Coordinates of all heavy atoms in Angstrom, one line a residue:
A933 N 14.3 24.0 9.9 CA 12.9 24.3 9.6 C 11.9 23.7 10.6 O 12.2 22.7 11.3 CB 12.5 23.7 8.2
L934 N 10.8 24.4 10.8 CA 9.7 23.9 11.7 C 8.7 23.1 10.9 O 8.1 23.7 10.0 CB 9.1 25.1 12.4 CG 7.9 24.8 13.3 CD1 8.3 23.9 14.5 CD2 7.2 26.1 13.8
A935 N 8.5 21.9 11.3 CA 7.6 21.0 10.5 C 6.8 20.1 11.5 O 7.1 20.0 12.7 CB 8.5 20.1 9.6
S936 N 5.8 19.5 10.9 CA 4.9 18.6 11.7 C 5.7 17.4 12.3 O 5.1 16.8 13.2 CB 3.7 18.1 10.9 OG 4.2 17.3 9.8
N937 N 6.8 17.1 11.8 CA 7.6 15.9 12.2 C 7.8 16.0 13.7 O 7.9 14.9 14.4 CB 9.0 15.9 11.6 CG 8.9 15.9 10.1 OD1 8.2 16.7 9.5 ND2 9.6 15.0 9.4
V938 N 7.9 17.2 14.3 CA 8.1 17.2 15.8 C 7.0 16.6 16.6 O 7.2 16.1 17.7 CB 8.4 18.7 16.2 CG1 9.6 19.2 15.6 CG2 7.2 19.6 15.9
G939 N 5.8 16.6 16.0 CA 4.7 15.9 16.7 C 4.9 14.4 16.8 O 4.4 13.8 17.8
H940 N 5.6 13.8 15.8 CA 5.9 12.4 15.9 C 6.8 12.1 17.0 O 6.8 10.9 17.6 CB 6.5 11.9 14.6 CG 5.5 11.9 13.4 ND1 5.4 10.9 12.5 CD2 4.7 12.9 12.9 CE1 4.5 11.2 11.6 NE2 4.1 12.4 11.8
L941 N 7.7 13.0 17.3 CA 8.6 12.8 18.5 C 7.8 12.6 19.8 O 8.3 11.8 20.6 CB 9.5 14.0 18.6 CG 10.4 14.3 17.4 CD1 11.2 15.6 17.6 CD2 11.4 13.1 17.1
L942 N 6.7 13.3 19.9 CA 5.9 13.1 21.1 C 5.3 11.7 21.1 O 5.3 11.1 22.2 CB 4.8 14.2 21.2 CG 5.2 15.6 21.3 CD1 4.0 16.5 21.1 CD2 5.8 15.9 22.7
W943 N 4.9 11.3 20.0 CA 4.3 9.9 19.9 C 5.4 8.9 20.3 O 5.1 7.9 21.0 CB 3.8 9.6 18.5 CG 3.4 8.2 18.3 CD1 2.7 7.4 19.1 CD2 3.9 7.3 17.2 NE1 2.6 6.1 18.6 CE2 3.4 6.1 17.5 CE3 4.8 7.6 16.1 CZ2 3.7 5.0 16.6 CZ3 5.0 6.5 15.3 CH2 4.5 5.2 15.5
S944 N 6.6 9.0 19.8 CA 7.7 8.0 20.1 C 8.1 8.1 21.5 O 8.7 7.1 22.0 CB 8.8 8.3 19.2 OG 9.6 9.5 19.6
G945 N 8.0 9.2 22.2 CA 8.4 9.3 23.6 C 9.8 9.7 23.8 O 10.4 9.8 24.9
I946 N 10.5 10.1 22.7 CA 11.9 10.5 22.8 C 12.1 12.0 23.4 O 13.2 12.3 23.8 CB 12.6 10.4 21.5 CG1 14.1 10.4 21.6 CG2 12.2 11.5 20.5 CD1 14.9 10.0 20.3
V947 N 11.0 12.7 23.4 CA 11.1 14.1 23.8 C 11.3 14.2 25.4 O 10.6 13.6 26.1 CB 9.8 14.9 23.5 CG1 9.8 16.3 24.0 CG2 9.6 14.9 21.9
A948 N 12.3 15.0 25.8 CA 12.5 15.3 27.2 C 11.2 16.0 27.7 O 10.7 16.9 27.1 CB 13.7 16.1 27.4
P949 N 10.7 15.5 28.9 CA 9.4 16.1 29.4 C 9.4 17.6 29.5 O 8.4 18.3 29.2 CB 9.2 15.4 30.7 CG 10.0 14.2 30.6 CD 11.2 14.5 29.7
E950 N 10.6 18.2 29.8 CA 10.6 19.7 30.0 C 10.5 20.4 28.6 O 10.3 21.6 28.6 CB 11.9 20.1 30.8 CG 13.2 19.8 30.0 CD 13.7 18.4 30.3 OE1 12.9 17.5 30.8 OE2 14.9 18.1 30.0
R951 N 10.7 19.7 27.5 CA 10.7 20.3 26.2 C 9.3 20.3 25.6 O 9.0 21.0 24.6 CB 11.6 19.6 25.2 CG 13.0 19.3 25.7 CD 13.8 20.6 25.6 NE 15.3 20.2 25.6 CZ 16.2 21.1 25.9 NH1 15.9 22.3 26.4 NH2 17.5 20.7 25.9
A952 N 8.4 19.4 26.1 CA 7.1 19.1 25.5 C 6.2 20.3 25.3 O 5.7 20.5 24.2 CB 6.4 18.0 26.2
E953 N 6.1 21.1 26.3 CA 5.2 22.2 26.2 C 5.5 23.2 25.1 O 4.7 23.7 24.4 CB 5.1 23.0 27.6 CG 4.0 24.0 27.6 CD 3.8 24.5 29.0 OE1 4.4 24.0 30.0 OE2 2.9 25.4 29.2
R954 N 6.8 23.4 24.9 CA 7.2 24.3 23.8 C 6.9 23.7 22.4 O 6.5 24.4 21.5 CB 8.7 24.7 23.9 CG 9.1 25.4 25.2 CD 10.4 26.1 25.1 NE 10.5 27.2 24.1 CZ 11.6 27.9 23.9 NH1 12.7 27.6 24.5 NH2 11.6 28.8 23.0
L955 N 7.1 22.4 22.3 CA 6.7 21.8 21.0 C 5.2 21.9 20.8 O 4.7 22.2 19.7 CB 7.1 20.3 21.1 CG 8.5 19.9 21.0 CD1 8.7 18.4 20.9 CD2 9.2 20.6 19.9
V956 N 4.4 21.7 21.8 CA 2.9 21.8 21.7 C 2.5 23.2 21.3 O 1.6 23.4 20.5 CB 2.3 21.3 23.0 CG1 0.8 21.6 22.9 CG2 2.6 19.9 23.3
G957 N 3.2 24.2 21.8 CA 2.9 25.6 21.4 C 3.1 25.8 20.0 O 2.4 26.5 19.3
H958 N 4.2 25.2 19.4 CA 4.4 25.3 18.0 C 3.3 24.5 17.2 O 2.8 25.1 16.2 CB 5.8 24.7 17.6 CG 6.9 25.6 18.0 ND1 7.1 26.8 17.4 CD2 8.0 25.4 18.8 CE1 8.2 27.4 17.9 NE2 8.7 26.5 18.7
L959 N 3.0 23.3 17.6 CA 2.0 22.5 16.9 C 0.6 23.2 16.8 O -0.1 23.1 15.8 CB 1.9 21.1 17.5 CG 3.1 20.2 17.4 CD1 3.0 19.0 18.3 CD2 3.2 19.7 15.9

Side-chain angles (χ1 to χ4, degrees):
L934 175 61
S936 63
N937 304 49
V938 296
H940 293 228
L941 299 175
L942 294 170
W943 167 53
S944 72
I946 199 172
V947 174
E950 65 273 15
R951 309 283 199 204
E953 189 167 354
R954 295 195 69 180
L955 290 187
V956 174
H958 284 299
L959 290 167

